[in-house]
């Protein structure tokens, strides 16, 4: 079968690999769509320190079950569509002991520390499958990326009395906007791209601010009557937005960081103390976040056509990655189509 491989940074190949055979607790899946994640872009650019090349990328999965092992429970059958939880956890580290498996110290994610899903067939232990027969192939491939933003909202303990500022309206920010709005919060979305801000509105943002055109602190003062947002969710990962989150959040507010900042960030730490802030990291997602995303998708409200930038044949991925790398603001989600 065909698999897509990043041989070295910038070099994308289609390679031939054997279709593996399943163990009794595993299922064989025929892959339909695999979403390309920002993490995969970092791997393509050679900026992901966790990856060893060559690697088969991909962890945002939509696939059909085509074979089940002898010890797989009977409710899992061939023909079902599924996505999957692409993270492993060790069960023994401090995070796992606290049942925060998403942040396992020894986490491995498909396509990062281990082989990924960008191939025609994949094998998974049945416990990793998320089967939902009401969702279509496009929706299933968006469950994992949206769940990351959903998790950040959980980390921010957002409720209906909060004003939540979401910085960055890519796929992760989109998940945060949807979840914060579902929880009844008033959401303010910030980005540099008007198209993404228009989508943010559709997803539930009450206010949008283009930080490249408008004065962000001034806009926030107006919207929040000088109080500042109760919660700031940072979904960009740049030093400037890391600092903005601390500066703009209300006194005694919560700041949640999802973006990985590649460079060191300089903070005026007095604000941590003066505002008595809760500053929290957010990584991956928990099983309950996946469930919440799928419940939301069942409502049919997710505007798929706005979020899926394009669907690519595997052979077109190399060029698409180069284009995306050159203009990262223009892509929300690329799918690779392995069904043909
Ligand atoms: Zn991802
Ligand atoms: Zn662990």
């Amino acid at each position: 079968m065909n698999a897509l491989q990043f041989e070295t940074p910038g070099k994308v190949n289609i390679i031939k690999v054997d279709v593996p055979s399943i163990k009794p607790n595993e299922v064989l899946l025929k892959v339909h769509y695999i979403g390309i994640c920002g993490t995969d872009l970092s791997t393509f650019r050679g900026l992901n320190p966790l990856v060893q090349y060559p690697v088969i990328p991909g962890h945002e999965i939509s696939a059909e079950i085509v074979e089940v092992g002898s010890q797989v429970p009977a409710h899992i059958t061939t023909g079902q569509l599924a996505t999957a939880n692409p993270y492993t956890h060790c069960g023994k580290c401090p995070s796992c002991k606290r049942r925060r498996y998403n942040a396992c110290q020894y986490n491995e994610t498909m396509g990062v520390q281990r082989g990924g899903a960008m191939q025609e067939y994949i094998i998974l232990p049945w416990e990793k499958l998320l089967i939902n027969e009401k969702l279509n192939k496009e929706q299933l491939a968006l469950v994992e990326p949206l769940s990351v933003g959903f998790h950040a909202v959980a980390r921010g303990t957002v409720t209906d009395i909060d004003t939540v500022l979401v910085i960055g309206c890519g796929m992760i920010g989109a998940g945060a906007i949807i979840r914060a709005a579902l929880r009844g919060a008033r959401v303010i979305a910030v980005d540099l791209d008007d198209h993404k801000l228009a989508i943010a509105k559709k997803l539930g943002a009450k206010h949008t601010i283009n930080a490249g055109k408008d004065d962000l602190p001034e806009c926030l003062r107006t919207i929040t009557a000088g109080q500042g947002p109760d919660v700031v969710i940072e979904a960009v990962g740049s030093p400037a937005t890391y600092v903005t989150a601390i500066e703009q959040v209300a006194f005694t507010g919560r700041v949640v960081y999802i973006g990985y900042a590649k460079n060191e960030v300089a903070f005026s730490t007095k604000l941590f103390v003066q505002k008595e802030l809760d500053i929290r990291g957010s990584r991956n997602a928990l099983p309950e976040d996946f469930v919440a995303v799928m419940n939301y998708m069942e409502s049919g409200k997710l505007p798929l056509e706005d979020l899926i930038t394009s669907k690519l044949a595997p052979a077109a991925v190399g060029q698409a990655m180069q284009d995306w790398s050159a203009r990262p603001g223009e892509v929300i989600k690329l799918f690779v189509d392995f069904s043909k």
Side-chain angles (χ1 to χ4, degrees):
M1 65 169 165
N2 289 323
L4 194 138
Q5 182 197 62
F6 292 170
E7 187 183 334
T8 54
K11 191 155 194 292
V12 181
N13 293 329
I14 307 286
I15 58 168
K16 292 279 178 200
V17 294
D18 292 335
V19 179
S21 44
I22 54 171
K23 298 195 191 88
N25 68 326
E26 291 177 332
V27 294
L28 179 68
L29 298 128
K30 165 104 188 73
V31 172
H32 288 287
Y33 297 123
I34 302 294
I36 311 181
C37 180
T39 309
D40 300 317
L41 180 62
S42 297
T43 304
F44 175 80
R45 289 166 148 180
L47 297 175
N48 188 339
L50 304 175
V51 163
Q52 289 201 344
Y53 301 90
V55 65
I56 295 174
H59 59 263
E60 301 173 0
I61 299 165
S62 123
E64 181 184 335
I65 299 169
V66 291
E67 195 186 338
V68 295
S70 57
Q71 288 169 16
V72 173
H75 68 273
I76 296 173
T77 56
T78 58
Q80 287 174 322
L81 293 179
T83 185
N85 182 328
Y87 324 125
T88 65
H89 63 272
C90 74
K92 297 180 185 129
C93 75
S95 301
C96 288
K97 281 185 190 154
R98 288 189 254 272
R99 294 184 196 168
R100 287 167 61 177
Y101 310 111
N102 59 301
C104 172
Q105 191 172 352
Y106 305 102
N107 161 283
E108 291 190 358
T109 298
M110 290 177 74
V112 185
Q113 299 95 338
R114 55 169 62 206
M118 287 214 194
Q119 44 193 325
E120 289 178 86
Y121 292 89
I122 53 171
I123 276 181
L124 284 168
W126 70 266
E127 294 94 334
K128 293 288 173 192
L129 292 182
L130 296 156
I131 297 167
N132 186 318
E133 296 186 86
K134 294 187 189 134
L135 301 183
N136 64 34
K137 294 169 197 167
E138 282 88 358
Q139 288 169 319
L140 287 167
L142 291 175
V143 170
E144 190 274 341
L146 284 175
S147 72
V148 175
F150 271 50
H151 186 67
V153 172
R155 293 284 294 143
T157 57
V158 171
T159 72
D160 58 359
I161 58 169
D162 291 318
T163 295
V164 179
L165 174 67
V166 177
I167 305 175
C169 299
M171 203 62 200
I172 306 298
I177 292 164
I178 292 166
R179 189 55 166 153
L182 281 175
R183 287 187 173 205
R186 181 169 66 144
V187 180
I188 308 167
V190 180
D191 202 279
L192 298 171
D193 184 279
D194 284 329
H195 176 62
K196 285 186 180 165
L197 289 170
I199 296 169
K201 270 236 150 110
K202 278 199 202 176
L203 300 177
K206 185 115 196 257
H207 306 274
T208 57
I209 302 169
N210 184 324
K213 295 178 185 168
D214 299 318
D215 180 346
L216 178 64
E218 179 63 42
C219 293
L220 289 175
R221 269 195 294 278
T222 306
I223 295 167
T224 66
Q227 304 281 296
D230 305 292
V231 180
V232 178
I233 296 176
E234 196 282 345
V236 176
S238 79
T241 49
Y242 259 69
V243 171
T244 296
I246 297 291
E247 288 177 348
Q248 298 306 319
V249 71
F251 273 67
T252 64
R254 286 96 76 196
V255 173
V256 181
Y257 289 117
I258 326 178
Y260 268 93
K262 309 283 182 300
N263 305 314
E264 289 189 5
V265 183
F267 284 106
S268 168
T269 53
K270 77 166 192 209
L271 290 176
F272 299 3
V273 179
Q274 210 173 34
K275 291 187 174 182
E276 200 174 71
L277 297 178
D278 284 318
I279 301 170
R280 300 170 191 170
S282 183
R283 180 181 180 191
N284 299 337
L286 277 166
E288 64 232 44
D289 301 309
F290 285 85
V291 171
V293 171
M294 292 195 289
N295 286 346
Y296 164 73
M297 283 180 169
E298 282 183 27
S299 74
K301 290 191 192 120
L302 184 70
L304 287 175
E305 62 292 348
D306 289 324
L307 297 177
I308 302 166
T309 309
S310 55
K311 295 174 181 170
L312 308 163
V317 171
Q319 186 61 48
M321 296 302 285
Q322 274 181 26
D323 296 344
W324 187 14
S325 187
R327 287 179 297 281
E330 288 174 19
V331 167
I332 297 183
K333 181 57 68 186
L334 298 174
F335 277 179
V336 188
D337 184 352
F338 283 92
S339 64
K340 296 183 186 102

